[in-house]
């Protein structure tokens, strides 16, 4: 089948593109390069044997999206494109509403106009807000504590409204927990600009000697070792979750449905540090620092709906998440400059 991946050069999109191509599908990537590099398409090509067709463009450009949907005879869209930094969303809310919410409206208008009504949307466990019980299942109440989370909630509501207005839509909303790790080739991974906000890329930079130590944001939470607990899942498992969701859309009669993608297991910050050290042989010095404002103590998924309905389950271990992250980070440090790789 033919799939359009908006934001397909980004962290999760690139891994999903590789998985879909290796399953025999055709993928077209549409990305405005705001948080990615064109060279990622070359790398997907090195992994799969086919460089995916890549359109440098913006989802806000409705005409451009329509032309891509028509030209490449797209059957379904996976909508990754968006801004995702919580702190930045507080400082620049309009940029987030414009890019994420208006960008999705533009995409949906293009899809409706071209008669493409199958969509997988990247949502987030952040829409659960402060957990009222654990594990989090899909019927847990939703709320948002920052503009980024609110954009995801607005988009989810918009997708439900759209499906209610026209039952021929087939929409899967995927609520990701904490994606980490990298492709086994070491060619794809997460490479944030500047100082990372998230735990795993920060640990990798410390292990690489690029940052002096990890700040552990709080060790006084009501958890066994006092540090925050999250449900980390391997990005390749997540990529396979998108394949399962796309296949599900072909057979379902439900216009719009929501799925958690997580492992169902919680890991503390200190457990993650220890596992990274064991998996890589690198040391990760850390210091205990005050809690980060807005953080929840613990958060993990009930992934049983995805298993039951999509036939998907996260399989890869925490050890693999750490080892693959390190292989990618170490490879980035020794890699030639991107323009040389791209030749
Ligand atoms: P990413 O930043 O690596 O990828 C997003 C891609 O979208 C980038 O390549 C960027 O250049 C592109 N993009 C942004 N705005 C665009 C626009 N208007 N038009 C075209 N391209 C645009 O992020 P990611 O981690 O791969 O996340 C993908 C999606 O998953 C996002 O919607 C994010 O909110 C969501 N998500 C991510 C996480 C996570 O921890 N990484 C967790 C939950 C949800
Ligand atoms: N964390 C930390 N130091 C960091 C980054 C994160 O101690 O430099 C902790 C954070 O407080 C949380 C966990 O690691 O308990 C995961 O944080 P991340 O930002 O990766 O994910 P999120 O909080 O968005 O789920």
């Amino acid at each position: 089948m033919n799939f359009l991946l908006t934001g397909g050069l980004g962290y999760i999109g690139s891994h999903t593109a590789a998985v879909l191509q290796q399953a025999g599908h055709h993928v077209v990537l549409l990305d405005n390069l705001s948080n990615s590099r064109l060279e990622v398409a070359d790398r997907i090509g090195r992994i799969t044997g086919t460089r995916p067709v890549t359109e440098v463009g913006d989802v806000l450009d409705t005409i451009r999206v329509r032309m891509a949907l028509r030209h490449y005879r797209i059957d379904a869209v996976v909508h990754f494109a968006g801004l995702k930094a919580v702190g930045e969303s507080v400082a620049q809310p309009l940029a987030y509403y414009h890019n994420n919410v208006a960008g999705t409206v533009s995409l949906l208008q293009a899809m409706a106009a071209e008669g493409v009504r199958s969509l997988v949307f990247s949502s987030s466990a952040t829409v659960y807000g402060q957990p009222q019980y654990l594990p989090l299942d899909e019927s847990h109440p939703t709320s948002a504590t920052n503009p980024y989370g609110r954009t995801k909630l607005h988009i989810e509501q918009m997708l439900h409204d759209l499906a209610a207005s026209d039952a021929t839509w087939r929409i899967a909303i995927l609520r990701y927990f904490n994606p980490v790790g990298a492709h086994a080739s070491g060619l794809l991974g997460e490479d944030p600009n500047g100082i990372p906000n998230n735990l795993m890329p920060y640990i990798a930079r410390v292990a690489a000697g690029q940052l002096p130590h990890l700040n552990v944001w709080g060790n006084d939470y009501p958890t066994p070792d006092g540090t925050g607990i999250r449900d980390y899942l391997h990005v390749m498992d997540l990529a396979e979750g998108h394949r399962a969701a796309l296949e599900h859309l072909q057979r379902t009669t439900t216009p719009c449905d929501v799925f958690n993608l997580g492992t169902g297991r919680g890991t503390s910050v200190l457990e993650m540090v220890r596992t990274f050290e064991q998996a890589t042989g690198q040391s990760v010095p850390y210091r205990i620092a005050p809690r980060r404002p807005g953080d929840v103590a613990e958060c993990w998924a009930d992934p049983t709906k995805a298993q039951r309905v999509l036939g998907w389950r996260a399989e890869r271990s925490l050890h693999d998440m750490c080892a693959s992250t390190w292989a990618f980070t170490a490879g980035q440090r020794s890699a030639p400059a991107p323009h040389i790789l791209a030749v």
Side-chain angles (χ1 to χ4, degrees):
M1 297 185 71
N2 300 328
F3 299 129
L4 179 71
L5 275 51
T6 73
L9 291 172
Y11 172 46
I12 303 168
S14 59
H15 290 79
T16 304
V19 163
L20 292 174
Q21 283 202 333
Q22 288 192 311
H25 298 294
H26 298 285
V27 304
V28 177
L29 314 183
L30 175 76
D31 201 299
N32 68 2
L33 305 181
S34 60
N35 196 33
S36 52
R37 290 181 295 155
L38 205 45
E39 185 230 346
V40 168
D42 301 329
R43 292 180 172 223
I44 298 168
R46 282 167 63 188
I47 292 167
T48 64
T50 310
R51 186 185 191 279
V53 173
T54 306
E55 296 269 334
V56 177
D58 203 296
V59 291
L60 284 154
D61 184 348
T62 315
I63 299 293
R64 180 76 189 272
V65 179
R66 280 189 65 172
M67 284 169 60
L69 293 171
R70 191 181 303 184
H71 183 75
Y72 299 109
R73 299 174 189 277
I74 296 297
D75 299 298
V77 176
V78 189
H79 184 30
F80 297 103
L83 303 175
K84 62 169 185 176
V86 171
E88 188 182 65
S89 79
V90 175
Q92 301 172 37
L94 294 183
Y96 274 67
Y97 286 109
H98 185 58
N99 201 76
N100 293 6
V101 180
T104 304
V105 172
S106 166
L107 171 69
L108 294 171
Q109 284 174 330
M111 291 176 68
E114 296 301 324
V116 180
R117 292 189 206 84
S118 293
L119 175 75
V120 174
F121 173 63
S122 300
S123 190
S124 165
T126 193
V127 301
Y128 293 120
Q130 182 73 35
Q132 295 177 15
Y133 58 83
L134 290 166
L136 294 160
D137 57 26
E138 289 83 354
S139 42
H140 184 283
T142 54
S143 68
T145 54
N146 56 69
Y148 167 69
R150 262 186 291 281
T151 67
K152 293 294 179 190
L153 270 184
H154 283 320
I155 295 167
E156 286 201 8
Q157 285 159 354
M158 201 161 69
L159 294 174
H160 284 294
D161 287 342
L162 181 62
S165 76
D166 176 351
T168 64
W169 281 88
R170 295 291 178 268
I171 299 172
I173 295 171
L174 306 183
R175 292 178 178 157
Y176 312 155
F177 279 68
N178 289 60
V180 296
H183 193 272
S185 63
L187 290 170
L188 303 176
E190 188 175 18
D191 190 15
N193 292 328
I195 296 178
N197 292 310
N198 296 113
L199 180 64
M200 187 66 112
Y202 203 106
I203 288 178
R205 296 266 174 101
V206 172
Q210 294 167 349
L211 290 168
H213 62 267
L214 171 71
N215 292 301
V216 175
W217 305 128
N219 68 346
D220 56 353
Y221 285 106
T223 61
D225 67 15
T227 66
I229 290 182
R230 297 290 184 276
D231 185 340
Y232 299 95
L233 85 155
H234 199 297
V235 68
M236 288 302 290
D237 281 327
L238 183 59
E240 285 162 7
H242 290 78
R243 179 186 166 195
L246 285 163
E247 288 167 359
H248 165 76
L249 291 184
Q250 304 312 305
R251 53 177 193 264
T252 184
T253 54
T254 307
C256 184
D257 212 347
V258 183
F259 301 95
N260 282 340
L261 295 188
T263 65
R265 282 187 311 273
T267 302
S268 77
V269 176
L270 292 182
E271 280 173 318
M272 183 61 104
V273 169
R274 273 196 299 278
T275 308
F276 192 96
E277 290 184 329
Q278 282 161 7
T280 66
Q282 304 296 312
S283 79
V284 181
Y286 67 84
R287 288 186 193 162
I288 304 298
R291 291 182 182 191
R292 187 170 64 177
D295 267 359
V296 301
E298 36 186 11
C299 168
W300 67 88
D302 176 347
T304 50
K305 184 177 174 189
Q307 191 173 349
R308 180 169 40 84
V309 180
L310 304 180
W312 171 89
R313 196 173 62 179
E315 305 278 1
R316 293 166 176 84
S317 67
L318 205 60
H319 186 283
D320 190 355
M321 299 177 211
C322 295
S324 62
T325 298
W326 179 242
F328 173 72
T329 305
Q332 288 296 98
R333 292 173 70 214
S334 57
H339 66 277
I340 298 173
L341 259 179
V343 170

